[in-house]
Amino acid sequence: MSRPRWDERLATAAAWRAGEDAQRRRRMVERVEGSRAVVDGRLLLNFCSNDYLGLAASTAGVAALQEAAAQHGLGSGGSALVCGHHALHARFEHEAAEWLGFDRALFLPSGYQANLMVLQGLLGPGDVCVQDKLNHACLIDGARLAGAELRRYPHADAAAALRQLQARPEAAAVLATDSVFSMDGDLAPLGALAAAARSEQALLLVDEAHGIGVLGSEGRGACAAAGLTAGAVAVLVVPLGKAFGGQGALVLGEAALIDHLLQSARPYLFSTTALPALAAALSANLQALRRADDRRDQLQRLVRHFREGAQRRGLPLLDSVSPIQPLLLGCNARALAVAAALEERGYWVTAIRPPSVPEGRARLRITLTARHRPAEIDGLLDALAASLEATEAVP
Ligand SMILES: *Cc1c(COP(=O)(O)O)cnc(C)c1O
């Protein structure tokens, strides 16, 4: 028996990617100007950003970051339980908990880490984690890291979620879902999932990455919009890289649960706290986000404008009322060809392929933001129709 050779393994994987049109490429952004970006030297209209409200350019956020960095420097110097927890982190956690109506909040450097932390901190071998098939990868990975049994139900099927919980009545259980699904843009049946969790004494975990800032009064998210408060949702995870226009995540819950995570969750314990200046910027952006009703209204108008225009042009849209408007194309080659044709016309829309979406469900994931103008959306729709036609020969 001989040990597998690494060079052969890498070459096999690269050949497989090339054959499946699965090779990915990082595009280099040189500058962002409103809804446009200079990408690899070319100015393109950006229809793939999650900065739904344009708050990545928030002047208050940038000023708070500069001021706090000038005063407190960059790195926090340690993990939260050693020496990294700063007054600016504490202030942001407190403001966020009050805003969303939860006892306590924890601030982490990323949403991916936040979901790993929650699931690893709550679950272990012998426990069960019930999840929607289309949940974000980090919820899946969190259940794996915990060593819990992962049971996935068909997309948005709350009755199936209930049956999955009922199948393991003896096990401690978490029911986890995205609120707005990141690649499809549709909403989870939050009320029915909360009822299932309640009747089965499971904890409900909701990831609000694409709901926060966009839905609910003052942008409190999809749970708030559905009338679900802290009691019904045991853990709310709020990634801050989308409508918040920043970076990091909040984990919110009742005091005993948050304390348990803080004491024991390894992805929290063993990682350096984010820059204090980042927390200062996020505090400023929280205030901006709460007051952004005009941008939320504008965004909803643009979503309607896009969908009406797409229907008029016979474009095959999925059933989404969020700023995430996917155009399902099926195979990787077609998705890449349409994205390339769009780029030639000046529009930047990333082709999304497996493993981000299931096999055979490659798509263009178009995202709208409050910074787009209706005329820009009309331009995109015309370019889409032309690009679909121009690439018809591609399977
Ligand atoms: C983006 C995203 C995350 C990860 O958050 P990061 O801060 O980017 O690590 C988690 N969940 C969902 C649903 C997301 O879309």
Side-chain angles (χ1 to χ4, degrees):
M1 276 232 300
S2 67
R3 197 188 300 287
R5 287 179 51 133
W6 277 106
D7 55 352
E8 282 172 9
R9 179 180 291 206
L10 300 186
T12 305
W16 177 86
R17 283 194 299 269
E20 296 289 315
D21 289 309
Q23 184 70 22
R24 293 162 186 243
R25 187 155 68 98
R26 292 190 305 181
R27 306 303 304 273
M28 195 177 68
V29 176
E30 289 154 40
R31 210 165 61 240
V32 175
E33 300 169 3
S35 55
R36 284 154 206 275
V38 179
V39 187
D40 295 322
R42 233 185 118 203
L43 185 66
L44 298 174
L45 252 166
N46 183 356
F47 279 100
C48 44
S49 167
N50 297 317
D51 180 22
Y52 300 118
L53 301 175
L55 290 181
S58 149
T59 44
V62 171
L65 183 93
Q66 286 174 326
E67 213 171 289
Q71 198 172 345
H72 303 290
L74 292 177
S76 66
S79 64
L81 294 175
V82 176
C83 64
H85 185 57
H86 192 278
L88 292 168
H89 299 125
R91 184 185 74 182
F92 177 54
E93 288 176 348
H94 183 76
E95 290 167 350
E98 205 170 77
W99 174 55
L100 291 168
F102 283 78
D103 273 0
R104 285 191 65 186
L106 288 182
F107 175 52
L108 286 93
S110 83
Y112 189 98
Q113 196 177 341
N115 278 323
L116 293 188
M117 177 232 198
V118 171
L119 292 173
Q120 192 273 329
L122 291 175
L123 295 171
D127 300 337
V128 64
C129 189
V130 173
Q131 301 205 20
D132 190 292
K133 272 234 155 92
L134 296 189
N135 272 357
H136 192 270
C138 59
L139 286 164
I140 309 290
D141 295 352
R144 290 195 181 128
L145 181 64
E149 184 195 352
L150 174 62
R151 299 182 77 109
R152 300 170 79 183
Y153 55 88
H155 180 49
D157 186 343
L162 179 63
R163 286 195 297 276
Q164 296 279 24
L165 289 169
Q166 287 165 339
R168 291 291 313 279
E170 79 298 347
V174 168
L175 173 55
T177 185
D178 288 18
S179 64
V180 175
F181 287 88
S182 55
M183 296 299 138
D184 288 63
D186 58 337
L187 276 167
L190 291 168
L193 291 172
R198 188 173 347 103
S199 75
E200 286 299 309
Q201 286 106 48
L203 287 188
L204 178 62
L205 158 58
V206 181
D207 179 335
E208 279 275 27
H210 301 278
I212 206 77
V214 174
L215 301 171
S217 96
E218 290 190 351
R220 287 189 180 87
C223 292
L228 297 181
T229 49
V233 179
V235 193
L236 194 71
V237 173
V238 179
L240 303 164
K242 280 95 185 193
F244 250 89
Q247 169 96 63
L250 292 158
V251 173
L252 300 110
E254 65 173 33
L257 185 145
I258 294 296
D259 192 54
H260 177 80
L261 293 176
L262 182 156
Q263 301 290 337
S264 58
R266 297 169 65 88
Y268 187 72
L269 294 181
F270 299 112
S271 182
T272 300
T273 309
L275 319 185
L278 176 60
L282 290 164
S283 282
N285 271 20
L286 170 56
Q287 298 314 318
L289 181 140
R290 293 178 69 161
R291 289 193 300 263
D293 277 342
D294 50 344
R295 295 190 192 204
R296 274 183 283 279
D297 293 346
Q298 167 72 355
L299 191 51
Q300 286 311 319
R301 277 195 296 277
L302 293 174
V303 170
R304 279 197 301 276
H305 185 84
F306 176 85
R307 290 189 66 83
E308 283 162 15
Q311 265 149 19
R312 259 202 314 282
R313 289 167 180 84
L315 301 176
L317 288 185
L318 295 187
D319 198 14
S320 159
V321 292
S322 75
I324 302 166
Q325 292 291 328
L327 196 77
L328 196 62
L329 291 168
C331 82
N332 291 354
R334 184 86 205 281
L336 288 172
V338 181
L342 277 173
E343 185 169 333
E344 270 171 39
R345 294 170 167 83
Y347 297 88
W348 189 18
V349 182
T350 310
I352 305 283
R353 291 163 284 163
S356 306
V357 291
E359 287 297 333
R361 307 261 307 163
R363 67 197 64 187
L364 296 182
R365 177 179 179 271
I366 297 155
T367 50
L368 306 174
T369 76
R371 308 194 110 193
H372 288 121
R373 288 188 296 257
E376 293 173 338
I377 289 177
D378 293 337
L380 171 70
L381 287 164
D382 288 340
L384 269 172
S387 301
L388 284 171
E389 212 179 288
T391 56
E392 240 159 29
V394 183

